[in-house]
Amino acid sequence: MFDLFLYPILVILLVIFVYFIPGLALFPKFIQSPRSSASIPFISISTLAGIQYLLSLVNQFSQASVLSIIALLSFIAFYKIYKNYSEFQNSWTKLDLKVLLFIIFSSIPLMVLLGFDGFQHSDEIYSWNLWAKKIYLGIKVTFESTGSPYPLVLSSFIAFCYKFFGNMDFQLPIKFTFSIIYISTIFVIYSFVNTKVKLGLFFITYIIIMLVIGVGYEYKKVFADTLMGGLLVTSLALLISLSKDLFDKNNNISPYSYLFASIILVSTAALTKQGAMLWAFCFYPLLALVIIGKNSYLNNRAKVITLIPL
């Protein structure tokens, strides 16, 4: 009975303090629009994975340090939101909220599959969760132990969640919240819908994805690929938002915030799976330079920022 009540509490704690607080601490104004709001969980994952790496680097990766950092990020997030609240300009519509609720409720089968089945046997022996446990225990993960030079953002994030709870027994709530990656990615794609025709195409495509992929192998098991895909899609969406035709100067979000967030996400994608490295190193900087060059709100110095992924 205790576990029945504990499970939703742990999920709520993860959603608030792990998936949203870190992103809001960095970009509080992102809650003003659907597209930037959908990027907050990915920004949070990127931030916490980086924090975990730095803490391990200085041998300070403990529950006390993790909770202290979460407390600090919470203070920063709430302070920034309180300080800038009067400047916020809400661009959410009733349709946005309805679509978000539709995506969430239609994702319940996926949540059940994720949240009521632990990491698979292969995950325990030779994959992300095993490496996360090693990171949690302070054991250095080497190329010899992984079998290949795998980037370990996902494992670092899982290890951070374990430290947040203080033990490795709560893998089900952690795995349950992986559904946020799926929901955020779909909602980012929806954010480009601006006509009834596009809305219809979105729903048709979404239903196909939900039935064929959403509850299939990709989102039940291949977590790193899913995270990498969400990071790339969201990074590209934020970058495209800076284009001359799409940039909304009325939502009170700095174009540099969009650019920095996009770079954080594409860099994290490259550190999640090797498949994103070519995009981050070659195609992304070229595309960014083209878009920046046509955005009058960004000066030429912003071009240097696109080299960060390198």
Side-chain angles (χ1 to χ4, degrees), residues 51-61:
I51 290 173
Q52 184 283 314
Y53 176 79
L54 292 175
L55 288 176
S56 292
L57 198 63
V58 295
N59 296 317
Q60 294 298 320
F61 186 46

Side-chain angles (χ1 to χ4, degrees), residues 5-15 164-165 170 173-174 177:
F5 289 100
L6 181 62
Y7 191 102
I9 293 174
L10 295 178
V11 169
I12 292 171
L13 289 175
L14 281 174
V15 171
F164 178 68
F165 290 142
F170 299 116
I174 295 172
T177 56

